[in-house]
Amino acid sequence: MTTFNDDQLIATIQRDPNSPALRLLFNRYRPVLTKLQRVYYIPGHDGDDWEQEGLLVLHGAAQKFQQHRSCNFGAFYRLNLTHRVFDLIRYSQAQKRRATTISLEANRTYFAETLHDTRVQLGTQLEAQEAVGRVLPGLSPTEQVVFRGLLGGLTPQAIRQQEGLSMTRVSAAMHRGRQKLRRLLGE
């Protein structure tokens, strides 16, 4: 089977997707995968993940490849694999954005009071999100509940009612949370 050309291997794969021809064709086009792996970084993907993605894309490309429409299988595979890499990168970045989105507009008063320190000027929403993400693990459970409530657009009174806390406890947690955020930003 090693003496078969690409067209013969592709025809074999199209007839029998479990054929050893798939692995043989993949080994021939491994340099395409290796080059893309050196150029692009996909968060959370190691060498085995890259190989699995490359094999899946090769399988799909072999199934879809039509000799009369395209003259070079290598270029067709490289295009399909590049598009898959871009999709994986986009997906990983989209997940991050969704997980850390904080509404600064809904919490304008809180951030104005908290970030009053003139040494600290947050120029972008991304910097504020990073600061909030760094301060949260250092807050007590009550401070986290109050902080998240404020970030979610709740008033201190609404947090008090929702969590069953006294107004004194909510105010103290707000004050301690602000101090910790200021300390973190002052570093």
Side-chain angles (χ1 to χ4, degrees), residues 46-67:
D46 61 7
D48 291 338
D49 294 328
W50 274 90
E51 185 167 324
Q52 183 178 11
E53 290 295 336
L55 195 56
L56 287 169
V57 170
L58 182 92
H59 177 267
Q63 293 293 326
K64 292 185 278 183
F65 185 70
Q66 297 172 4
Q67 180 65 32

Side-chain angles (χ1 to χ4, degrees), residues 68-86:
H68 66 278
R69 292 187 67 195
S70 180
C71 61
N72 185 345
F73 178 75
F76 184 68
Y77 172 59
R78 183 177 59 244
L79 180 67
N80 280 285
L81 186 57
T82 303
H83 287 167
R84 178 65 181 152
V85 168
F86 291 165

Side-chain angles (χ1 to χ4, degrees), residues 139-150 154 159 163 165:
L139 299 177
S140 72
T142 304
E143 292 167 352
Q144 284 186 11
V145 166
V146 171
F147 199 75
R148 289 180 194 276
L150 291 169
L154 297 176
I159 295 169
E163 298 299 325
L165 301 171

Side-chain angles (χ1 to χ4, degrees), residues 5-24:
N5 65 27
D6 289 352
D7 294 334
Q8 293 168 324
L9 290 173
I10 292 167
T12 304
I13 294 168
Q14 287 174 345
R15 282 191 309 273
D16 179 17
N18 296 324
S19 167
L22 181 65
R23 185 53 79 169
L24 189 64

Side-chain angles (χ1 to χ4, degrees), residues 121-142:
Q121 294 183 3
L122 295 178
T124 66
Q125 184 176 1
L126 184 60
E127 290 170 334
Q129 289 174 352
E130 181 182 325
V132 169
R134 286 177 31 213
V135 80
L136 276 174
L139 299 177
S140 72
T142 304

Side-chain angles (χ1 to χ4, degrees), residues 113-116 178-186:
E113 292 173 8
T114 305
L115 302 176
H116 186 62
R178 283 187 187 128
Q179 285 180 327
K180 289 178 182 179
L181 184 59
R182 284 185 181 132
R183 252 183 273 138
L184 178 99
L185 293 172

Side-chain angles (χ1 to χ4, degrees), residues 4 142 174:
F4 290 150
T142 304
M174 283 175 44

